[in-house]
Amino acid sequence: MLSLMFFLNSVAAARTDKYCLTCHGLKGFTTEHNDKEISLTVNQSILKDSVHNNNNCVTCHMDIQGYPHKNVVYGTELAVKVANNCQMCHSNEAKGYKESRHWEVTKEGKTDVSCSSCHGKHDIQKSDFTKQEELELCSECHKGIVLESTKESFHGKAVELGSKRAASCVDCHHDSHRILGPQHQESSVSDKNLPKTCAKCHEKPRKNFAKGVQHAELEPEGEGAPMYYTFKFFTWLTILTITFLIVHILIELIGKFRRANNDESH
């Protein structure tokens, strides 16, 4: 009996998919919202290559019924609905996400950091991101001082060069779904917890090890001033040292050349 029910449900879902793709399988199928054109086309080949290739349309779009569709939402409402729909299967991840700073700004309408923002829509793949991919993904939203300071840091440079040991965004911010702001007492990057977070990689850190300013801009004034002048000092030290070595080598070569000429003249 259960097998028969499963078979009938599968047949019904397959028929539903075919019905959905009658419109959503068409190239250039769009709608408009707030004077913006939104594509409604589903690329079937991309969907087949995703981890959800065995899911049916209504598995995720469970609230879409009949035609014309009712209760269609956009913007903040859509972002919230995406998270609620995803939690039907991904309950543990959704629990952490709904405690995160990303969820706060999403439901407040400040920006969209819903599940699909990081994982994609119909092209979702396994979430085995490399450290370089993590940095690239996070930088889609976290631009400016956060991105620049990360790339200028030892961690960022090591990650971009392919290091698998250097800390990436998730290593410091602990949980990719339950990311908390630095002011949150449970955040892995709060003043209280940061030393413990650093200790995951740096054994026996000193008391003041993690008290440095994170994501500071290299400017002659402000929190980034010490790093700015340190950077300038070592930059000029390197330039002057190399210049001295080049001059020293040139003097040596000129001296050897003159001595060789003198020996030949005698």
Side-chain angles (χ1 to χ4, degrees), residues 9-25 40-44 47 50 52-65 69 85-86 89 121-122:
N9 285 336
S10 299
V11 171
R15 291 182 64 185
T16 303
D17 286 357
K18 187 175 180 180
Y19 176 73
C20 295
L21 291 170
T22 302
C23 295
H24 292 281
L40 299 177
T41 299
V42 176
N43 188 317
Q44 296 177 60
L47 181 59
S50 76
H52 290 158
N53 56 7
N54 290 323
N55 288 3
N56 305 112
C57 301
V58 293
T59 304
C60 298
H61 302 282
M62 59 193 76
D63 53 334
I64 300 295
Q65 297 178 356
H69 300 322
N85 287 357
C86 291
C89 295
K121 298 177 177 67
H122 296 107

Side-chain angles (χ1 to χ4, degrees), residues 52-96:
H52 290 158
N53 56 7
N54 290 323
N55 288 3
N56 305 112
C57 301
V58 293
T59 304
C60 298
H61 302 282
M62 59 193 76
D63 53 334
I64 300 295
Q65 297 178 356
Y67 183 85
H69 300 322
K70 297 179 181 180
N71 303 321
V72 177
V73 295
Y74 301 93
T76 301
E77 288 183 85
L78 177 60
V80 170
K81 181 173 282 189
V82 166
N84 290 333
N85 287 357
C86 291
Q87 76 177 0
M88 299 299 291
C89 295
H90 305 282
S91 56
N92 290 334
E93 291 81 2
K95 182 178 183 297

Side-chain angles (χ1 to χ4, degrees), residues 3-262:
S3 299
L4 178 61
M5 290 178 64
F6 179 78
F7 173 75
L8 292 174
N9 285 336
S10 299
V11 171
R15 291 182 64 185
T16 303
D17 286 357
K18 187 175 180 180
Y19 176 73
C20 295
L21 291 170
T22 302
C23 295
H24 292 281
L26 298 173
K27 291 184 178 180
F29 184 48
T30 63
T31 188
E32 285 191 5
H33 178 68
N34 289 341
D35 297 326
K36 291 183 179 180
E37 188 176 73
I38 300 173
S39 174
L40 299 177
T41 299
V42 176
N43 188 317
Q44 296 177 60
S45 61
I46 289 177
L47 181 59
K48 286 179 180 178
D49 288 335
S50 76
V51 294
H52 290 158
N53 56 7
N54 290 323
N55 288 3
N56 305 112
C57 301
V58 293
T59 304
C60 298
H61 302 282
M62 59 193 76
D63 53 334
I64 300 295
Q65 297 178 356
Y67 183 85
H69 300 322
K70 297 179 181 180
N71 303 321
V72 177
V73 295
Y74 301 93
T76 301
E77 288 183 85
L78 177 60
V80 170
K81 181 173 282 189
V82 166
N84 290 333
N85 287 357
C86 291
Q87 76 177 0
M88 299 299 291
C89 295
H90 305 282
S91 56
N92 290 334
E93 291 81 2
K95 182 178 183 297
Y97 169 69
K98 288 194 172 182
E99 295 175 358
S100 74
R101 178 59 181 158
H102 286 163
W103 170 247
E104 287 180 11
V105 297
T106 297
K107 68 180 181 180
E108 290 170 3
K110 294 179 179 178
T111 187
D112 178 2
V113 198
S114 60
C115 308
S116 58
S117 301
C118 298
H119 295 283
K121 298 177 177 67
H122 296 107
D123 57 342
I124 296 175
Q125 301 296 323
K126 286 186 177 180
S127 299
D128 50 351
F129 297 114
T130 64
K131 291 180 181 290
Q132 292 89 339
E133 288 171 338
E134 282 179 17
L135 181 59
E136 184 178 343
L137 179 62
C138 295
S139 67
E140 290 182 10
C141 294
H142 298 281
K143 302 181 186 298
I145 184 173
V146 174
L147 175 61
E148 294 304 319
S149 61
T150 299
K151 287 189 172 183
E152 286 296 326
S153 70
F154 174 82
H155 291 158
K157 290 182 183 297
V159 167
E160 288 194 316
L161 289 171
S163 172
K164 295 181 180 180
R165 295 180 58 192
S168 63
C169 307
V170 175
D171 291 313
C172 296
H173 292 277
H174 186 56
D175 188 326
S176 56
H177 293 101
R178 191 175 182 263
I179 291 182
L180 306 172
Q183 290 77 28
H184 196 290
Q185 62 178 0
E186 293 183 24
S187 171
S188 58
V189 293
S190 67
D191 291 341
K192 176 185 176 182
N193 295 325
L194 189 56
K196 188 187 298 182
T197 299
C198 295
K200 291 192 300 181
C201 298
H202 302 277
E203 295 182 6
K204 298 179 180 179
R206 295 180 181 178
K207 186 177 180 180
N208 295 327
F209 185 83
K211 287 190 176 181
V213 179
Q214 310 302 318
H215 297 303
E217 196 168 6
L218 293 180
E219 294 290 344
E221 296 180 358
E223 293 180 327
M227 289 180 285
Y228 171 82
Y229 287 110
T230 301
F231 173 76
K232 288 292 184 182
F233 171 77
F234 281 105
T235 298
W236 280 107
L237 179 63
T238 302
I239 292 172
L240 292 173
T241 301
I242 293 174
T243 302
F244 173 79
L245 288 173
I246 292 173
V247 171
H248 179 75
I249 291 169
L250 288 174
I251 292 173
E252 283 287 325
L253 289 174
I254 292 171
K256 287 184 177 181
F257 181 75
R258 285 180 175 177
R259 286 193 293 272
N261 284 340
N262 289 335

